[in-house]
Amino acid sequence: MAKGRIRAKLRKSHLYTFCLYQGPNGKGQQTVGGPGFSRIVHCNGPQLQSERPFKYRSNDISTTKYSFITFLPKALYEQFNRVANLYFLGCAIASVTPLSPFSALSMIAPLAFVVGLSMAKEALEDWKRFMQDMEVNSRKVKVHTGEGAFGKKAWEKVQVGDVVRVEKDQFFPADLLLLSSNYEDGICYVETMNLDGETNLKAKRALEVTLDLDEDEDFKNFKGIIKCEDPNPSLYTFVGNLEYNDQVYALDPSQILLRDSKLRNTAYIYGVAIFTGPDSKVMMNSTNSPSKRSRIEKKMDYIIYVLFSVLLVISLISSFGFAVEIKYSMPEWWFLQPQEADDFYNPEEPVTSGISHMVTALMLYGYLLPISLYVSIEVVKVLQATFINQDIHMYDEETGIPAQARTSNLNEELGQVDTILSDKTGTLTCNQMDFLKCSIAGTAYGSSTNAVELAAAKQMANDLEGKVELDAVVSYSEKDRQSPIKGFNFEDSRLMNGNWLKEAKVEDIILFFRILAVCHTAIPELNEDTGSYTYEAESPDEGAFLVAAREFGFEFFQRTQSSVFVREKYTASGKPIDREYKILNVLEFTSKRKRMTVIIKDEDGQILLMCKGADSIIFDRLSKDGRFYQPDTTKHLNEYGEAGLRTLALAYKKLEESEYSAWNTEFQKAKTSIGADRDIMLENAAEMMEKDLILIGATAVEDKLQKGVPKCIDKLAQAGLKLWVLTGDKMETAINIGFSCSLLRQGMKQICIPAIDSDVKEEVKGAILKQINNGSEMIKAEKDPHAAFALIIDGKTLSYALEDDIKQHFLDLGVRCASVICCRVSPKQKALVTRLVKLGTGKTTLAIGDGANDVG
């Protein structure tokens, strides 16, 4: 088998050196081998784990509600949880006694039909789940069978310790330890949408010691022992170590590939199964299929209680009259021969006769309870589920996936949704970025308009001239401004085709483009059809930056273990030049850091720090001499933000060799330390370097709205649904985006509650409560019954509005508004708002995106 890649002699790499990680509970390094950390995996030796004391669980999974053994008792229990069924069961039992006014068959047959039909529906739906499980369990994956040979096995046959080879666009069959990939640095890209709903790719990296295991035959003699934590549901933590070649190497979540995530943009990977089947993290996060009952079904139970109460009253009255007649009138009815009467018709025992008659009356008048209603509803639900599955309008042509109603019990809940809570990125928008504008050395470039700017212009035109259809304007403009280059929709002749060489600040422009081309962790792939490079990046923003750099003449075309190579197309000599930049360190982007830094050495031996991140983070780290372009850049950033664009600031600084060496010594010391202080030491080392920066410019990319979003939101509003959007954008940006997606409409009255500048908490809370009450009074005073209101609140204000003494006032105002936009909110606040609306209103609430994920 030919070598999949050519590898230079490996040395300890400085690449990807900074990745903050905390063990469980944030306490740093845990003791492997202690309680909760006792799992031992023999790599390439699954037979060693097949017996006690190990005997780990197999890899087959089941998501069914029933089994062949438990179906009958569990399904019967489910059916007789219904009040009407329980009543008719009592009647069926009584029908075999002399008290029954009907034959036993006339009572038992309808009950058996109703219960049997419902159980058949449950069995059919569970059978579908079973077949889906069988499909998953029978998927094939390549497993090492010995002597360096890999053969295909079903997922359910994979065992702990098996070495597996997973290929591009395949799902991981179990929780794996990544050993190597087709990329030289052991990187692979993973899509975790099935785990957390996020479409962004996550980068995973193998340990350097296992990078040589990159072909099938390399596993002929591969042995190792993994000692790690026991199975647990935490998706983002992992503690363990690998004993390999008489050395011990620490493991962390960046080496773990979780079951149900997919390998993307990577030809293949090799991994060792650590957790299989029910022990895998995704299965430990799943719950048993619950017995879900819709609101209508619960309402029916309430109605049955009322009807049964009426039935009981009627039967009591009838029985009382019967007892009186038996006691006083029956002795005179010679034709009944009362002297031979049994206990049911005994004048001397009228109470017993009355009670027995009440049982008969309950059966006789029992048709007051509609047993056929359950049958009708069950049939309708099954047909509805069938129509949903076959609805062509809910079929995704791109993925080939139709809508799937896994259970028909909750169909009617869809029509009872009162409030929808949604985040913006990836839900209202496509999460596909286009480079649209930029600010370089205080000069703004880019003349393209986006949907938000068009909506704002249209709104202004509406205010002046009257109503115009937003969808028509946006759709028409979208067609006019479609770019043939994915990720790049930039229009400005000053920077295109090398015209930037004529600009006054050409050195700054060159540095700006070099930062775009170098400051990233992406991998280039040559498109043989076009001859140009495409990029496999962790985020769509990063991919858009690289496409933009390529179009401006700075094409990133190769990455090695320690260098990136950029082809500069436009030069003073007129000939393209390939430049190599040695990557010394990468300080990665995290949601906490909000910035990414690379430290490189160029061909002239100059050490440069290149940094990109949120403007507030970058501006705090600028030197006095590095703020020359800050006023103009800030102005441009505000304009970009108001247009709904995602922005990042770019900065750099030059380093002396001695300065870098001193810092790198401290950084390596922090990196190799073990203990709870490791993360703090890494953070401090990063802070030491990421300061005294020089601002060079900013970027603005557009995250386009999903197709049909404005029309969809407009239809939801017409149907009376309330929509809450929870976003991290500024208030001005969120308002403009609201108009672009029809969340805010012409004539809608806005209630804005911005952040309040005060250090006194009670004053702030008092001011917020006053604004909320004023908004409520405004709505109450509105005389037009068709008037619509929109509430827009800032995240800082929201933190106070969610406190116990204010949140009910905030909720009361929000539910009276047709639309609510919460700006600058954190993931935690999204979860709190979702929970408040769900529990506070008591109505059916639909959460989409982060709010749904965080609340669970």
Side-chain angles (χ1 to χ4, degrees):
M1 182 175 173
K3 280 284 181 183
R5 51 186 168 165
I6 300 173
R7 187 188 307 279
K9 183 179 180 181
L10 287 175
R11 59 179 177 78
K12 190 171 181 63
S13 172
H14 297 300
L15 188 58
Y16 315 120
T17 53
F18 184 62
C19 183
L20 291 181
Y21 163 66
Q22 287 189 339
N25 303 322
K27 296 181 180 179
Q29 189 72 18
Q30 302 293 323
T31 303
V32 176
F37 300 89
S38 60
R39 195 173 186 88
I40 299 175
V41 178
H42 293 272
C43 303
N44 222 5
Q47 67 281 358
L48 299 176
Q49 279 105 202
S50 60
E51 299 178 357
R52 296 190 181 278
F54 304 116
K55 204 163 187 178
Y56 298 134
R57 303 174 81 173
S58 63
N59 200 39
D60 64 305
I61 56 102
S62 174
T63 61
T64 56
K65 189 175 177 181
Y66 309 101
S67 68
F68 290 108
I69 298 174
T70 63
F71 174 72
L72 191 61
K74 287 184 70 175
L76 286 173
Y77 175 77
E78 292 289 333
Q79 296 308 313
F80 289 108
N81 259 343
R82 294 172 171 172
V83 179
N85 285 351
L86 201 59
Y87 166 75
F88 285 108
L89 175 64
C91 290
I93 294 172
S95 69
V96 298
T97 68
L99 296 174
S100 175
F102 312 113
S103 67
L105 182 64
S106 65
M107 291 301 298
I108 295 173
L111 177 65
F113 176 74
V114 172
V115 172
L117 186 65
S118 298
M119 289 175 64
K121 186 203 75 157
E122 288 285 319
L124 178 63
E125 292 179 347
D126 213 51
W127 177 259
K128 291 180 180 178
R129 296 189 194 102
F130 174 74
M131 294 305 295
Q132 289 176 343
D133 291 341
M134 290 292 292
E135 181 184 351
V136 170
N137 289 331
S138 60
R139 287 176 181 171
K140 302 296 184 182
V141 66
K142 291 183 178 180
V143 180
H144 185 236
T145 56
E147 298 301 319
F150 280 71
K152 288 189 176 181
K153 283 187 179 180
W155 277 23
E156 61 185 354
K157 301 296 184 183
V158 174
Q159 297 177 311
V160 173
D162 271 332
V163 175
V164 300
R165 173 181 169 130
V166 181
E167 316 234 331
K168 184 177 181 180
D169 294 330
Q170 290 183 347
F171 289 96
F172 301 118
D175 290 352
L176 308 176
L177 169 66
L178 175 62
L179 297 175
S180 63
S181 75
N182 66 299
Y183 290 123
E184 183 175 288
D185 288 306
I187 304 173
C188 72
Y189 290 94
V190 176
E191 181 187 275
T192 60
M193 186 167 61
N194 288 350
L195 303 182
D196 54 21
E198 295 185 9
T199 56
N200 285 353
L201 301 184
K202 311 290 192 305
K204 300 290 185 176
R205 301 177 181 89
L207 293 174
E208 290 189 28
V209 70
T210 61
L211 293 184
D212 271 334
L213 302 170
D214 63 335
E215 294 200 25
D216 291 359
E217 55 264 29
D218 293 333
F219 291 93
K220 181 177 181 180
N221 300 313
F222 169 65
K223 296 294 179 183
I225 297 176
I226 299 170
K227 296 181 179 179
C228 64
E229 63 188 22
D230 295 333
N232 63 76
S234 177
L235 295 175
Y236 306 108
T237 62
F238 182 82
V239 175
N241 57 44
L242 170 66
E243 296 179 7
Y244 180 61
N245 290 342
D246 299 324
Q247 297 289 328
V248 179
Y249 304 91
L251 302 175
D252 62 49
S254 65
Q255 285 100 40
I256 303 302
L257 308 173
L258 299 182
R259 180 187 174 120
D260 265 7
S261 50
K262 182 187 285 189
L263 184 65
R264 296 290 301 274
N265 304 333
T266 310
Y268 62 85
I269 64 98
Y270 291 98
V272 176
I274 302 176
F275 302 124
T276 53
D279 286 343
S280 61
K281 290 182 180 288
V282 65
M283 292 305 297
M284 295 199 75
N285 275 278
S286 65
T287 56
N288 294 330
S289 298
S291 301
K292 297 180 179 178
R293 304 188 70 205
S294 66
R295 289 172 182 253
I296 283 185
E297 200 166 317
K298 294 175 182 176
K299 190 74 172 178
M300 283 174 56
D301 282 353
Y302 172 76
I303 294 172
I304 293 295
Y305 282 126
V306 173
L307 292 177
F308 182 75
S309 299
V310 173
L311 175 63
L312 193 60
V313 170
I314 294 174
S315 299
L316 283 171
I317 295 173
S318 175
S319 301
F320 179 77
F322 181 79
V324 171
E325 287 291 305
I326 288 292
K327 181 176 178 62
Y328 296 107
S329 300
M330 188 174 176
E332 300 176 2
W333 296 342
W334 59 267
F335 52 86
L336 290 181
Q337 297 181 351
Q339 66 277 8
E340 298 179 6
D342 55 25
D343 290 339
F344 300 143
Y345 302 92
N346 190 345
E348 296 179 1
E349 297 289 342
V351 175
T352 303
S353 299
I355 293 174
S356 62
H357 182 271
M358 190 175 74
V359 175
T360 303
L362 285 171
M363 298 174 65
L364 192 63
Y365 305 140
Y367 291 105
L368 184 64
L369 303 184
I371 188 172
S372 61
L373 181 61
Y374 282 107
V375 179
S376 302
I377 289 179
E378 293 292 349
V379 172
V380 168
K381 285 182 176 182
V382 172
L383 292 177
Q384 276 184 333
T386 303
F387 290 143
I388 290 173
N389 294 340
Q390 297 178 354
D391 193 338
I392 192 65
H393 296 295
M394 290 194 285
Y395 173 75
D396 185 5
E397 294 182 3
E398 185 175 344
T399 59
I401 298 175
Q404 295 180 349
R406 286 173 60 88
T407 177
S408 60
N409 287 350
L410 301 178
N411 292 349
E412 63 271 25
E413 294 287 287
L414 295 173
Q416 297 180 45
V417 172
D418 178 78
T419 306
I420 299 176
L421 297 102
S422 171
D423 67 340
K424 180 178 74 74
T425 303
T427 306
L428 300 181
T429 61
C430 301
N431 205 23
Q432 296 176 358
M433 310 302 172
D434 278 355
F435 190 93
L436 205 68
K437 298 181 180 183
C438 62
S439 172
I440 307 175
T443 302
Y445 296 95
S447 57
S448 299
T449 56
N450 66 334
V452 174
E453 290 175 308
L454 289 169
K458 180 258 175 188
Q459 178 65 22
M460 188 178 296
N462 278 348
D463 293 340
L464 297 174
E465 300 175 8
K467 293 185 177 180
V468 180
E469 279 295 327
L470 172 62
D471 288 338
V473 174
V474 173
S475 299
Y476 177 77
S477 303
E478 280 284 341
K479 292 178 181 178
D480 286 349
R481 64 189 188 89
Q482 283 290 334
S483 172
I485 303 172
K486 184 179 179 180
F488 188 75
N489 197 18
F490 182 86
E491 296 177 5
D492 196 325
S493 59
R494 292 176 293 173
L495 296 186
M496 298 303 294
N497 302 318
N499 290 336
W500 49 265
L501 288 167
K502 303 173 186 177
E503 292 290 295
K505 300 173 182 176
V506 64
E507 294 298 327
D508 290 333
I509 293 175
I510 291 174
L511 184 56
F512 181 90
F513 291 155
R514 284 178 178 168
I515 294 175
L516 291 182
V518 174
C519 187
H520 57 81
T521 58
I523 301 293
E525 287 190 356
L526 179 62
N527 187 326
E528 296 181 357
D529 295 331
T530 63
S532 62
Y533 286 88
T534 57
Y535 304 104
E536 312 303 344
E538 291 187 46
S539 69
D541 305 68
E542 199 166 77
F545 294 152
L546 288 169
V547 171
R550 183 190 70 198
E551 296 303 313
F552 291 136
F554 292 74
E555 185 176 46
F556 163 56
F557 68 93
Q558 183 182 356
R559 179 187 288 280
T560 66
Q561 187 174 356
S562 58
S563 299
V564 296
F565 294 84
V566 176
R567 180 171 294 126
E568 297 185 4
K569 182 178 179 181
Y570 305 107
T571 61
S573 63
K575 296 181 179 180
I577 297 176
D578 291 352
R579 299 190 186 277
E580 177 184 1
Y581 298 92
K582 293 187 180 296
I583 304 295
L584 303 179
N585 301 90
V586 176
L587 311 183
E588 292 186 340
F589 182 93
T590 66
S591 58
K592 181 180 179 180
R593 283 168 41 79
K594 296 183 180 179
R595 63 190 183 278
M596 175 191 176
T597 297
V598 296
I599 302 175
I600 59 103
K601 180 182 285 188
D602 63 20
E603 295 173 330
D604 299 327
Q606 175 64 58
I607 299 177
L608 282 173
L609 178 147
M610 298 177 173
C611 184
K612 64 183 181 186
D615 52 79
S616 58
I617 299 295
I618 299 298
F619 288 172
D620 288 343
R621 287 162 174 76
L622 297 178
S623 66
K624 289 184 178 180
D625 297 334
R627 300 179 180 272
F628 185 76
Y629 301 128
Q630 184 177 353
D632 292 330
T633 304
T634 301
K635 176 185 175 183
H636 299 151
L637 284 169
N638 290 336
E639 293 173 357
Y640 299 155
E642 290 176 3
L645 302 178
R646 295 163 62 95
T647 60
L648 284 179
L650 274 59
Y652 75 100
K653 78 172 179 178
K654 295 181 180 180
L655 300 173
E656 297 295 333
E657 185 75 40
S658 58
E659 179 187 3
Y660 170 74
S661 297
W663 173 82
N664 193 48
T665 300
E666 294 296 320
F667 183 73
Q668 293 301 323
K669 186 184 301 182
K671 178 190 169 187
T672 55
S673 65
I674 297 176
D677 295 334
R678 179 177 182 271
D679 295 335
I680 298 174
M681 293 172 66
L682 284 170
E683 287 186 37
N684 292 338
E687 290 286 346
M688 287 171 55
M689 179 54 69
E690 293 171 325
K691 64 180 182 180
D692 298 329
L693 306 179
I694 300 173
L695 180 66
I696 192 68
T699 61
V701 298
E702 176 190 12
D703 188 4
K704 292 183 179 180
L705 289 174
Q706 298 268 15
K707 184 180 179 181
V709 161
K711 187 175 181 180
C712 176
I713 291 178
D714 193 50
K715 293 294 184 184
L716 291 174
Q718 291 178 28
L721 273 72
K722 302 178 181 66
L723 186 64
W724 293 43
V725 171
L726 316 174
T727 176
D729 294 320
K730 300 176 183 177
M731 182 173 286
E732 296 80 5
T733 305
I735 290 173
N736 286 334
I737 291 173
F739 280 114
S740 72
C741 65
S742 288
L743 187 65
L744 302 178
R745 300 179 294 279
Q746 174 68 17
M748 182 177 281
K749 299 180 181 180
Q750 298 178 19
I751 302 173
C752 293
I753 306 180
I756 297 171
D757 294 328
S758 177
D759 295 330
V760 182
K761 182 178 179 179
E762 293 304 320
E763 289 184 6
V764 174
K765 290 178 68 174
I768 292 171
L769 184 58
K770 182 178 179 181
Q771 292 187 60
I772 291 175
N773 291 334
N774 288 342
S776 298
E777 292 299 325
M778 184 190 305
I779 296 175
K780 290 179 182 178
E782 179 59 51
K783 297 181 180 179
D784 183 1
H786 302 292
F789 291 83
L791 172 63
I792 303 158
I793 186 168
D794 183 83
K796 188 176 180 181
T797 306
L798 186 63
S799 63
Y800 294 102
L802 291 173
E803 293 189 4
D804 292 339
D805 53 342
I806 301 181
K807 65 181 182 182
Q808 191 58 47
H809 298 277
F810 165 66
L811 179 62
D812 292 341
L813 174 60
V815 296
R816 292 177 181 174
C817 296
S819 301
V820 178
I821 301 177
C822 301
C823 320
R824 289 291 192 189
V825 293
S826 64
K828 182 179 179 181
Q829 286 179 320
K830 292 180 182 180
L832 291 174
V833 171
T834 303
R835 186 176 288 111
L836 174 64
V837 176
K838 182 178 179 180
L839 300 179
T841 62
K843 298 180 179 178
T844 305
T845 303
L846 173 64
I848 309 171
D850 288 348
N853 293 334
D854 294 329
V855 172

